[in-house]
Amino acid sequence: MGGTMEEFEKTLSRQQAAIEAERCLYCYDAPCQAKCPAHVPVPEFIQSIRSGNLHGARTLLQTSHPFIETCGRICPEEAFCQSVCTRSKIDAPLRIRELHRFVTDSTDPSDRMELPETTLGRVAIIGAGPAGLACARELRVRGFSCDVFEARQVGGVPSQEVSTHRYPREVDEREVHFLTSTFAAHVCTERVADLKPLAADYDAVFVATGLPFESDMNVEGTQLVGVHQARELLRKMKSGAISGAGNRVGVIGGGNVAIEVASMLREEDPTRDVTVVYRRSIKELKAFKKEIEEATALGVTYQFLAIPDKVVGSHRVEGLQVTQAHLCEEDESGRCRSEPLPGSSFTIPLDTVVVAIGQRIDQGVFPGLARSDSGLISVGENMQTSMPGVYAGGDAVHGAQTVVEAVRDGKKAAEQIAAFVAGGK
Ligand SMILES: Cc1cc2nc3c(=O)[nH]c(=O)nc-3n(C[C@H](O)[C@H](O)[C@H](O)COP(=O)(O)OP(=O)(O)OC[C@H]3O[C@@H](n4cnc5c(N)ncnc54)[C@H](O)[C@@H]3O)c2cc1C
Ligand code: SF4
């Protein structure tokens, strides 16, 4: 019980990595590299593995991607590099992410880099998640000094919420400690609410505050004891505390957060029944395939085509009343809409309900910043917000994405900030 769980996937052995590296075709146009949002030089690092130069492979990875240990474990490779691997036309795609992981697991993470003097300017980074720390790294390497402001815990969502069976705490601490101690001048624990003082004090500001809030479920009974928000529960378990969930848990939702919390609750107590309740069918589940497979292997079960009507109970949760659904035409996301079948409601007996139906941006901060209708921060092509010198990226701009996409934004913003500061001097 508690926060330290055995890691689900094992690292490749030297022999497995060598065999896998031998399979690379070294395509001249490297579609894997183009498809990786951080543009990791995939063929080059695989060539280094092949020639036994693991430190060289690590340097190649680290130079292009600051969260290489994180992505070696949790990058959804099926959506990026591996989806375009030419080798899949012959047999199966290369296990690129696992090769990353092999390199980072086999080499010294504390290798230090030569860094230039910080003479180019001072930048405030708000939010120490993948986007913020990627930006800090890129700017520091160029000769800027970066102060990082973080409301909760450095590392962002992966450190705070991704389960330890996929992303162990010691790996997280090693990577985040390396990044903050090497590339940030100061790390301040502070929830920044107003950008104007920072914009006046620093040469530029990068906002990478992610989506710190969760969507509420508008049905009767959510005030009952035993109803939890998924990410709050993940943070609790990740911190090492006991979740407090009961023996019959229903997780409402079909995205990565729903699958993550369902898996972690099963891992915490393998005798507990955990059912994911989803309004559509298995085909429409938004979570990544690998995570669904892991959850299923852990014993998570599913109630598909069920629309929650209300949480049932007097003081505590006793069940979830749902109406059976059928699928209609596709909506704007390309997935089939679900519609209730009249008169088909039934109650699933539960003692705990976990709500995992979406993530939200914090709209109570940064007055004066232009936002989209859903509150996401609006930026131009150059990632600058409506305030001159204030840039933004990551989930706070695009909505829920992935670590490697946040890294892409952090790197791109650093380039734009460097040009902006150089232009003003
Ligand atoms: C449960 C879960 C599982 C996921 N699993 C995966 C996965 O397996 N693979 C993958 O690639 N992606 C995964 N993701 C998505 C990934 O974690 C995010 O896309 C990524 O972390 C976004 O990075 P970011 O830097 O934009 O924001 P975040 O990681 O959210 O970091 C933002 C940081 O800003 C801080 N902050 C917020 N407001 C303020 C403020 N006002 N002042 C100061 N600091 C502030 C927050 O505390 C946070 O630390 C998952 C997401 C969740 C929720
Ligand atoms: S970071 Fe992700 S997309 Fe990029 S090469 Fe690694 S596994 Fe592939």
Side-chain angles (χ1 to χ4, degrees), residues 36-37 40 42 65 71 75 77 80-81 96-97 100 404:
C36 168
V40 165
V42 177
H65 191 331
C71 276
C75 192
E77 68 274 28
F80 301 121
C81 56
I96 299 169
R97 179 190 53 76
H100 276 200
V404 68

Side-chain angles (χ1 to χ4, degrees), residues 14 53-59 61-62 68-69 100-113 174-175 177-178 182:
R14 264 178 190 265
N53 179 7
L54 296 186
H55 283 281
R58 187 181 183 104
T59 305
L61 286 168
Q62 235 170 240
I68 208 65
E69 300 218 25
H100 276 200
R101 177 174 168 181
F102 166 73
V103 170
T104 53
D105 282 357
S106 317
T107 49
D108 180 3
S110 62
D111 280 352
R112 282 288 181 261
M113 314 173 54
R174 188 167 65 210
E175 181 141 272
H177 173 76
F178 172 70
T182 312

Side-chain angles (χ1 to χ4, degrees), residues 94-314:
L94 247 76
R95 292 153 74 184
I96 299 169
R97 179 190 53 76
E98 290 180 72
L99 286 170
H100 276 200
R101 177 174 168 181
F102 166 73
V103 170
T104 53
D105 282 357
S106 317
T107 49
D108 180 3
S110 62
D111 280 352
R112 282 288 181 261
M113 314 173 54
E114 289 294 318
L115 291 169
E117 295 286 304
T118 51
T119 52
L120 295 186
R122 292 169 64 243
V123 179
I125 311 258
I126 308 173
L133 293 183
C135 186
R137 180 203 180 277
E138 209 62 25
L139 285 167
R140 179 64 192 86
V141 166
R142 288 164 187 260
F144 287 84
S145 167
C146 298
D147 290 344
V148 176
F149 297 81
E150 168 55 49
R152 278 190 185 130
Q153 184 192 335
V154 287
V157 165
S159 304
Q160 297 164 22
E161 296 173 36
V162 174
S163 66
T164 43
H165 76 262
R166 296 201 297 126
Y167 183 49
R169 191 169 295 122
E170 61 277 12
V171 178
D172 168 46
E173 283 169 1
R174 188 167 65 210
E175 181 141 272
V176 173
H177 173 76
F178 172 70
L179 291 170
T180 48
S181 63
T182 312
F183 303 115
H186 301 102
V187 179
C188 319
T189 307
E190 180 182 334
R191 175 177 176 264
V192 175
D194 188 0
L195 294 171
K196 289 188 196 84
L198 292 178
D201 198 24
Y202 287 83
D203 293 300
V205 177
F206 180 54
V207 181
T209 43
L211 304 169
F213 295 151
E214 300 185 63
S215 304
D216 297 320
M217 191 173 64
N218 288 325
V219 301
E220 210 181 295
T222 49
Q223 80 292 350
L224 292 173
V225 176
V227 177
H228 302 268
Q229 288 284 4
R231 293 177 61 198
E232 206 178 309
L233 215 54
L234 281 169
R235 283 197 290 274
K236 192 171 175 188
M237 288 190 276
K238 185 85 193 240
S239 75
I242 305 289
S243 71
N247 289 324
R248 286 170 304 158
V249 183
V251 177
I252 301 172
N256 284 311
V257 177
I259 300 298
E260 184 91 43
V261 75
S263 298
M264 210 159 166
L265 285 165
R266 271 292 293 184
E267 282 246 290
E268 186 188 52
D269 182 354
T271 66
R272 163 189 287 154
D273 288 337
V274 182
T275 305
V276 171
V277 180
Y278 184 47
R279 58 190 301 131
R280 294 176 164 113
S281 76
I282 188 166
K283 252 177 49 207
E284 283 81 24
L285 275 176
K286 279 206 288 185
F288 295 120
K289 199 167 137 247
K290 184 163 153 283
E291 281 194 56
I292 299 168
E293 284 168 4
E294 284 178 4
T296 309
L298 283 166
V300 170
T301 56
Y302 302 87
Q303 177 77 57
F304 291 113
L305 295 169
I307 302 175
D309 296 328
K310 64 174 175 180
V311 185
V312 182
S314 44

Side-chain angles (χ1 to χ4, degrees), residues 330-389:
E330 290 179 356
D331 63 14
E332 60 288 347
S333 71
R335 293 176 309 150
C336 291
R337 271 190 316 111
S338 66
E339 282 207 347
L341 286 168
S344 66
S345 74
F346 63 99
T347 299
I348 308 168
L350 299 170
D351 54 25
T352 307
V353 167
V354 181
V355 181
I357 59 168
Q359 305 171 47
R360 277 192 301 120
I361 194 155
D362 182 357
Q363 296 206 55
V365 289
F366 316 144
L369 214 56
R371 291 173 184 265
S372 70
D373 291 346
S374 57
L376 296 174
I377 299 172
S378 304
V379 297
E381 282 270 290
N382 62 356
M383 304 186 72
Q384 191 164 201
T385 67
S386 55
M387 288 173 76

